């Protein structure tokens, strides 16, 4: 095999969960090199949220490596499909987004993606460009190219039907609409998470149905979120966004369990992985967190975030920057203050943390010296105090 093709295959297959089909891919690579024509690499995102998180970057960083070998990425923004919502892995119907929400999310997606992708080798396409021009006869032809039985083979669909949960016609045809993107683009390879396999296969089938060379498929493992059990997702609140502050990214990476470290290193670390294996687990995690912050911010900010983290969690010091919340009365409602300040999402969550003894008042500059709170109402004995929530959240309350 041509060594250049071997280099391509090594990058494509690295950490991949599945490749369909390798023989076809080798043929595509041979033709690409012979004709000096870059392959069309497709990746699609429905802008259902405004943040790209570390889970997305598993795919984006692989695509960047292939761009460096000369190939072109076609970044499909699903402004049309976002109105339906990808049902992959979902047990309930997604809420419908407005055009304004989709537009705002799409703009942030592309800006964030270029933190990784080469802008000169990336083509941004909004998939509404061809759906808005599609007439009814063409749409019916698309629907007629696939059977309901085949679509309902999906596990998530069959589970929802057996449980009596709603399944809309829009969700049933979603895989066809996403797959049609591959046909219009004439994609050579499509990349996605393992939960996208069915949608990617539909695109491959549609290309064949419309007499087009089928795309190859590369699926990547889903990065588990900070909760340690579910895939990283904004809707679940277990994500690490690439535009978050250095301290936030660093702290969240440090919060992952030791059991997840191997997966995070495998999918996110670009340095010497063998060197991490011989480090103390805490040192290895510090190194991983610092490398991630360096990539999305800068080396100097990563070092500062590390020093700040070690100061708070190893030496008992307080963060240099603590958010402030001002009150008018010395008698404060802890649940109201923490919820309105944005530190905690809901008052019920605050009450649960109080019951667990996870909220305290810091005594002086040492965060390890603190008085655990049990009551929701607190009388301030000084013009300001610092609340500590869990191990890493702080709030300065000023009268």
């Amino acid at each position: 095999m041509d060594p250049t093709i071997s280099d391509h295959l090594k990058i494509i297959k690295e950490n991949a969960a599945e490749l369909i089909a390798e023989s076809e891919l080798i043929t595509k690579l041979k033709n690409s090199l012979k004709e000096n024509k870059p392959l069309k690499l497709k990746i699609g995102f429905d802008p259902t949220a405004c943040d790209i998180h570390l889970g997305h970057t598993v795919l984006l960083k692989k695509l960047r490596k292939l761009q460096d070998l000369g190939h072109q990425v076609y970044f499909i923004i699903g402004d049309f499909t976002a109105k339906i919502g990808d049902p992959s892995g979902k047990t309930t119907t997604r809420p419908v987004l407005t055009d304004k929400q989709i537009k705002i999310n799409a703009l942030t997606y592309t800006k964030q993606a270029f933190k990784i992708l080469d802008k000169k080798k990336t083509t941004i396409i909004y998939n509404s460009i061809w759906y808005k021009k599609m007439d009814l006869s063409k749409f019916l032809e698309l629907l007629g190219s696939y059977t309901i039985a085949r679509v309902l083979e999906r596990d998530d669909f069959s589970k929802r039907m057996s449980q009596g949960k709603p399944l809309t016609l829009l969700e049933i045809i979603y895989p066809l609409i996403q797959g049609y993107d591959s046909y219009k683009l004439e994609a050579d390879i499509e990349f996605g998470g393992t939960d996208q396999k069915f949608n990617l296969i539909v695109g491959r089938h549609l290309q064949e149905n419309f007499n087009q060379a089928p795309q190859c498929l590369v699926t990547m493992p889903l990065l588990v979120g900070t909760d340690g059990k579910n895939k990283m997702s904004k809707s679940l609140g277990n994500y690490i966004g690439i535009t978050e502050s250095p301290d936030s990214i660093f702290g969240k990476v440090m919060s992952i369990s030791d059991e997840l470290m191997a997966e995070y290193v495998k999918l996110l670390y670009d340095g010497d992985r063998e060197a991490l294996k011989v480090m103390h687990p805490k040192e290895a995690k510090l190194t991983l967190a610092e490398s991630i912050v360096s990539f999305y911010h800068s080396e100097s900010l990563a070092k500062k975030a590390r020093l700040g983290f070690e100061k708070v969690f190893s030496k008992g010091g307080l963060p240099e920057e603590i958010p402030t919340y001002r009150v008018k009365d010395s008698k404060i409602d802890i649940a109201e203050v923490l919820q309105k300040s944005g530190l905690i999402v809901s008052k019920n969550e605050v009450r649960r943390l109080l019951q667990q003894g996870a909220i305290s008042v810091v005594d002086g500059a040492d965060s390890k010296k603190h008085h655990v709170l049990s009551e929701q109402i607190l009388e301030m004995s000084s013009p300001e105090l610092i609340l500590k929530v869990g191990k890493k959240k702080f709030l300065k309350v000023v009268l």
Side-chain angles (χ1 to χ4, degrees):
M1 187 184 296
D2 188 311
T4 309
I5 292 178
S6 296
D7 292 340
H8 280 72
L9 284 175
K10 182 179 178 181
I11 290 174
I12 291 170
K13 294 168 73 173
E14 183 182 18
N15 296 330
E18 192 170 5
L19 164 60
I20 302 174
E22 186 168 339
S23 59
E24 294 176 16
L25 178 58
I26 291 172
T27 299
K28 287 178 183 288
L29 288 169
K30 285 180 178 177
N31 292 336
S32 171
L33 294 170
K34 182 180 178 180
E35 300 171 11
N36 194 27
K37 182 180 179 182
L39 292 178
K40 290 183 175 180
L41 313 179
K42 177 194 171 191
I43 186 169
F45 286 105
D46 282 353
T48 51
C50 61
D51 289 336
I52 285 182
H53 54 63
L54 292 184
H56 297 129
T57 69
V58 174
L59 287 164
L60 294 175
K61 293 180 87 169
K62 180 181 288 290
L63 289 169
R64 175 55 192 258
K65 291 178 181 179
L66 292 170
Q67 284 181 320
D68 292 341
L69 291 176
H71 301 292
Q72 187 77 9
V73 167
Y74 288 78
F75 192 100
I76 307 295
I77 297 290
D79 60 328
F80 184 86
T81 42
K83 292 184 178 181
I84 304 172
D86 184 2
S88 299
K90 299 297 177 185
T91 57
T92 56
T93 304
R94 282 182 179 268
V96 178
L97 297 177
T98 65
D99 288 335
K100 184 178 180 180
Q101 287 173 311
I102 291 171
K103 185 176 181 180
I104 291 171
N105 291 346
L107 289 172
T108 59
Y109 257 47
T110 52
K111 183 179 179 180
Q112 291 173 44
F114 289 135
K115 284 180 172 285
I116 301 170
L117 297 177
D118 183 340
K119 195 170 186 178
K120 294 180 180 178
K121 295 179 181 177
T122 304
T123 302
I124 302 292
I125 297 178
Y126 289 78
N127 66 3
S128 62
I129 192 172
W130 38 71
Y131 293 119
K132 286 181 178 178
K133 298 176 181 177
M134 181 185 280
D135 60 28
L136 181 59
S137 61
K138 188 65 180 178
F139 182 66
L140 293 175
E141 181 185 357
L142 173 62
L143 294 183
S145 66
Y146 231 69
T147 67
I148 288 289
R150 199 166 195 177
V151 173
L152 293 180
E153 288 174 1
R154 291 181 57 145
D155 288 340
D156 42 12
F157 283 175
S158 58
K159 284 179 182 176
R160 281 165 64 177
M161 292 183 69
S162 65
Q163 294 169 0
K165 292 183 177 180
L167 179 64
T168 68
L169 286 173
L170 282 177
E171 291 176 294
I172 290 175
I173 66 173
Y174 179 94
L176 277 76
I177 295 176
Q178 180 179 318
Y180 189 72
D181 291 344
S182 295
Y183 163 70
K184 292 295 293 184
L185 184 61
E186 298 184 47
D188 291 307
I189 315 174
E190 183 170 9
F191 296 78
T194 51
D195 60 340
Q196 287 288 308
K197 180 180 176 180
F198 185 89
N199 293 345
L200 272 56
I201 287 176
V202 171
R204 178 178 164 88
H205 287 164
L206 288 180
Q207 286 177 309
E208 290 179 304
N209 290 347
F210 293 124
N211 300 313
Q212 195 177 100
Q215 64 184 12
C216 295
L217 314 177
V218 178
T219 60
M220 295 294 290
L222 300 176
L223 187 69
V224 176
T226 54
D227 59 359
K229 56 183 179 180
N230 299 302
K231 78 168 186 175
M232 189 170 286
S233 164
K234 180 163 176 103
S235 60
L236 295 175
N238 65 351
Y239 72 105
I240 305 174
I242 65 172
T243 58
E244 290 184 38
S245 71
D247 289 342
S248 177
I249 294 176
F250 201 99
K252 286 185 177 182
V253 173
M254 291 302 296
S255 74
I256 66 170
S257 66
D258 291 341
E259 290 73 24
L260 278 183
M261 264 298 288
E263 179 186 10
Y264 271 58
V265 169
K266 177 183 176 182
L267 298 177
L268 301 174
Y269 188 60
D270 295 323
D272 184 352
R273 295 171 188 165
E274 293 301 316
L276 258 63
K277 289 181 181 179
V278 298
M279 289 182 185
H280 185 279
K282 183 179 179 181
E283 182 63 27
K285 198 179 291 186
L286 285 166
T287 303
L288 172 64
E290 188 174 345
S291 73
I292 291 173
V293 176
S294 292
F295 188 90
Y296 296 108
H297 288 281
S298 70
E299 189 175 329
S300 61
L301 288 175
K303 290 185 182 299
K304 184 180 179 182
R306 177 169 181 163
L307 288 172
F309 182 89
E310 291 176 325
K311 176 185 176 183
V312 174
F313 298 100
S314 300
K315 302 173 183 177
L318 293 172
E320 290 185 8
E321 296 181 8
I322 300 177
T324 298
Y325 184 79
R326 299 185 181 278
V327 295
K328 295 180 180 179
D329 195 323
S330 61
K331 183 179 284 189
I332 62 172
D333 183 324
I334 299 298
E336 183 176 309
V337 166
L338 292 176
Q339 189 263 332
K340 286 188 175 180
S341 69
L343 201 70
I344 302 296
V345 175
S346 70
K347 291 182 180 180
N348 286 335
E349 175 69 4
V350 177
R351 296 185 187 104
R352 183 182 67 80
L353 291 169
L354 280 169
Q355 290 174 356
Q356 295 176 348
I359 300 178
S360 57
V361 176
V362 176
D363 180 15
D366 187 345
S367 68
K368 292 182 178 179
K369 294 180 181 179
H370 53 87
H371 171 65
V372 177
L373 298 176
S374 57
E375 301 293 331
Q376 187 171 324
I377 304 299
L378 175 66
E379 181 75 39
M380 294 178 63
S381 57
S382 61
E384 67 177 46
L385 60 80
I386 294 176
L387 294 175
K388 181 180 180 182
V389 182
K391 294 182 179 180
K392 61 181 181 179
K393 292 183 178 180
F394 297 87
L395 179 71
K396 182 183 291 184
V397 183
V398 179
L399 181 61

